[in-house]
Amino acid sequence: MSALDLARWQFAITTVYHFIFVPITIGMSALVAGLQTAWVRTGKEKYLKATKFWGKLFLINFAMGVVTGIVQEFQFGMNWSAYSRFVGDIFGAPLAIEGLLAFFLESTFLGLWIFGWDRLPKRVHLATIWLAAIGTQLSAYFILAANSWMQHPVGYTIDAERGRAQLTDIGAVLTNSTALVTFPHTITACFLTAGAVLLAISSWHLRRGNQTDVFRPGLRLGAWVVLVAGVGVLITGDLQARIMTEQQPMKMAAAEALYDTSKPASFSVFTIGSLDGREEVASVRIPSLLSFMATADPQGEVEGINDLQKQYQQQYGDGDYVPYVPITYWSFRLMIGFGALAMAVAAMALWFTRKDRAPRNRWLWLAALSTVAMPLLANSFGWIFTEVGRQPWTVFGLFKTSQSVSPSVSAASVATSLIVFTLLYGGLAVVELMLMVKYAKAGAPEIVVPPDQDEADRPLAFAY
């Protein structure tokens, strides 16, 4: 394999691995803040127990996300220096804002939240977790703005002499139409993921009759979050599909393996055919659905791969502008399928636990427990679809993946780092799983109310 192939594999592995932790962290930060708000407002001990229990799992994921995110960014200099040189002036701006503003906000106030228990006043301490949660949202936005520029470049000029893109309008980059639809789609997916974590772990404890005062509300909260966020994912995904069709029509055509322009275009739920999708043996189709997804019109025209390939050759020169269709086709369906399956299990969990019922069906609890994997798989396949569907471009219409790889890095060097990082991440996955299982099984902590202390004896929040 060439250095380019290995560099793509390495970036794919580290990115998908990193994004396992990100949606849990983003969604859990707000849910933990909500539970602590409920405790501050009501004084009920069950909310304090829930806050500390889910907060511990949230912190484990936050730490893992930070570590894996740093490694991911190193690759821009290691394996993709030509890409970094071309886009650095633009791509670096939102990432710098994310590091200086958003990450600083979330990490600083998360530290105050961790060490501020029994040291800060209740409402001040509550404010720290909310500010940390806001920081995670802002961090996501700036990173997605950078990625959205790769999908739909705006606010730039090309310096032909230096061979790089230059930023001319940071406002255009931050208000990119792609970012404006990608952000709510990603955030709702994060809440769907966090809700599934609550649902799965709570179901495990309820099956064993553990701390029902904490985990029954946790199960129902998680299920409601999955359902509401799932509806949000569907709505924002529909908007994103139309923006994508307008900006990257080849990606939508590849998502359906649509080689010939159709009006109207049906959506295949499942297809059996040749590996490249050119020949179809059998399929299950929904008439006009692809037209509606792409154009908001059931009778709308959707351009096919063959026509788009001719257009791109005229516009960009000779070359193959078709992404790898099998991955694009199936990742799109698996993204939708796993998300829908999580919503179905959440609805089932709400139905069987209504009116304080405690179901005995073992299969129900197994289904609820397995829910934790469904949004994670949906998220991963969603990003695979987004990035593979953009190929052969790193920056759509401007810079190809083949141009982006570091010219001085050998295949042996990339292979070495690929093996090292894969083994390292495998070890971290074991550590993460062990920590999550350990603290998830431990259940919510018992709350010990300290005796009243004089103001002079109370621990200091800050000392100099």
Side-chain angles (χ1 to χ4, degrees):
M1 298 179 72
S2 66
L4 173 61
D5 294 329
L6 292 167
R8 292 179 68 180
W9 270 106
Q10 182 171 322
F11 199 83
I13 291 169
T14 54
T15 299
V16 170
Y17 186 89
H18 171 61
F19 204 73
I20 291 174
F21 310 107
V22 171
I24 297 176
T25 298
I26 292 174
M28 288 285 285
S29 63
L31 294 182
V32 170
L35 289 167
Q36 186 169 345
T37 301
W39 170 62
V40 170
R41 289 178 63 87
T42 66
K44 293 182 179 180
E45 187 177 285
K46 65 179 182 179
Y47 292 126
L48 178 58
K49 288 181 179 180
T51 300
K52 294 203 170 190
F53 174 75
W54 299 114
K56 185 174 291 185
L57 300 181
F58 155 65
L59 291 173
I60 293 171
N61 277 275
F62 179 84
M64 291 291 290
V66 170
V67 172
T68 55
I70 291 172
V71 172
Q72 182 185 1
E73 291 185 352
F74 280 158
Q75 291 177 89
F76 290 125
M78 293 188 304
N79 298 340
W80 304 100
S81 63
Y83 165 82
S84 299
R85 192 175 299 112
F86 180 78
V87 304
D89 187 48
I90 299 173
F91 199 75
L95 291 184
I97 298 172
E98 187 272 335
L100 294 172
L101 174 63
F103 184 72
F104 178 80
L105 180 70
E106 63 180 304
S107 58
T108 298
F109 285 100
L110 191 58
L112 288 172
W113 184 74
I114 294 169
F115 299 106
W117 287 99
D118 302 322
R119 289 176 172 84
L120 294 172
K122 271 186 181 182
R123 294 186 181 277
V124 174
H125 186 251
L126 174 62
T128 62
I129 186 62
W130 275 114
L131 288 168
I134 292 170
T136 64
Q137 311 286 321
L138 291 174
S139 181
Y141 186 83
F142 291 121
I143 292 172
L144 289 171
N147 181 269
S148 295
W149 189 83
M150 297 165 63
Q151 311 289 339
H152 178 55
V154 293
Y156 72 97
T157 58
I158 299 296
D159 185 336
E161 183 178 343
R162 301 173 65 190
R164 60 183 296 175
Q166 291 187 326
L167 180 66
T168 59
D169 188 351
I170 184 62
V173 174
L174 296 180
T175 58
N176 190 340
S177 58
T178 306
L180 294 179
V181 296
T182 300
F183 176 71
H185 186 63
T186 303
I187 293 302
T188 49
C190 291
F191 278 102
L192 191 154
T193 306
V197 172
L198 266 67
L199 171 60
I201 295 176
S202 296
S203 69
W204 188 89
H205 282 283
L206 288 178
R207 170 69 173 165
R208 289 154 180 78
N210 300 336
Q211 297 176 300
T212 55
D213 61 323
V214 173
F215 291 111
R216 183 180 179 81
L219 181 143
R220 293 187 62 81
L221 171 64
W224 276 115
V225 169
V226 168
L227 281 178
V228 174
V231 172
V233 169
L234 292 173
I235 294 171
T236 56
D238 181 58
L239 296 173
Q240 192 176 28
R242 291 166 195 173
I243 291 288
M244 180 182 71
T245 303
E246 178 184 329
Q247 297 170 354
Q248 298 182 58
M250 182 66 84
K251 185 184 290 187
M252 178 56 82
E256 178 54 32
L258 182 70
Y259 280 87
D260 298 315
T261 300
S262 298
K263 181 182 179 180
S266 61
F267 179 84
S268 58
V269 179
F270 182 83
T271 297
I272 299 174
S274 60
L275 184 61
D276 61 3
R278 289 181 180 274
E279 298 180 10
E280 179 182 308
V281 176
S283 66
V284 177
R285 293 186 169 273
I286 302 176
S288 301
L289 180 58
L290 184 65
S291 290
F292 181 78
M293 292 169 63
T295 66
D297 179 3
Q299 302 302 315
E301 181 179 271
V302 181
E303 293 182 283
I305 292 173
N306 293 331
D307 289 335
L308 289 167
Q309 169 67 11
K310 294 177 182 177
Q311 292 178 27
Y312 285 6
Q313 285 183 325
Q314 292 176 355
Q315 185 175 358
Y316 303 116
D318 290 337
D320 185 1
Y321 298 96
V322 182
Y324 190 57
V325 173
I327 291 180
T328 312
Y329 178 90
W330 285 110
S331 60
F332 188 65
R333 278 147 187 79
L334 291 170
M335 171 188 67
I336 296 171
F338 280 116
L341 190 58
M343 293 177 66
V345 176
M348 183 175 64
L350 285 173
W351 174 257
F352 284 105
T353 58
R354 71 192 189 282
K355 298 180 181 179
D356 296 327
R357 295 185 182 184
R360 302 293 181 186
N361 191 311
R362 178 172 175 266
W363 294 107
L364 171 65
W365 295 118
L366 287 175
L369 183 61
S370 67
T371 308
V372 69
M374 298 171 191
L376 295 175
L377 290 168
N379 293 332
S380 296
F381 284 116
W383 275 113
I384 290 170
F385 166 74
T386 299
E387 299 306 301
V388 172
R390 189 183 63 245
Q391 299 305 313
W393 306 99
T394 45
V395 182
F396 184 78
L398 294 180
F399 207 64
K400 292 184 177 180
T401 307
S402 57
Q403 300 171 282
S404 303
V405 71
S406 298
S408 60
V409 176
S410 66
S413 298
V414 182
T416 301
S417 60
L418 171 61
I419 293 169
V420 170
F421 281 135
T422 302
L423 292 175
L424 176 62
Y425 277 13
L428 287 175
V430 174
V431 172
E432 157 81 5
L433 186 60
M434 289 176 62
L435 287 173
M436 289 292 289
V437 170
K438 175 183 176 180
Y439 289 106
K441 283 185 173 182
E446 294 299 324
I447 304 301
V448 179
V449 181
D452 292 337
Q453 295 174 308
D454 294 333
E455 191 68 28
D457 296 330
R458 184 173 297 173
L460 296 176
F462 301 99
Y464 299 91

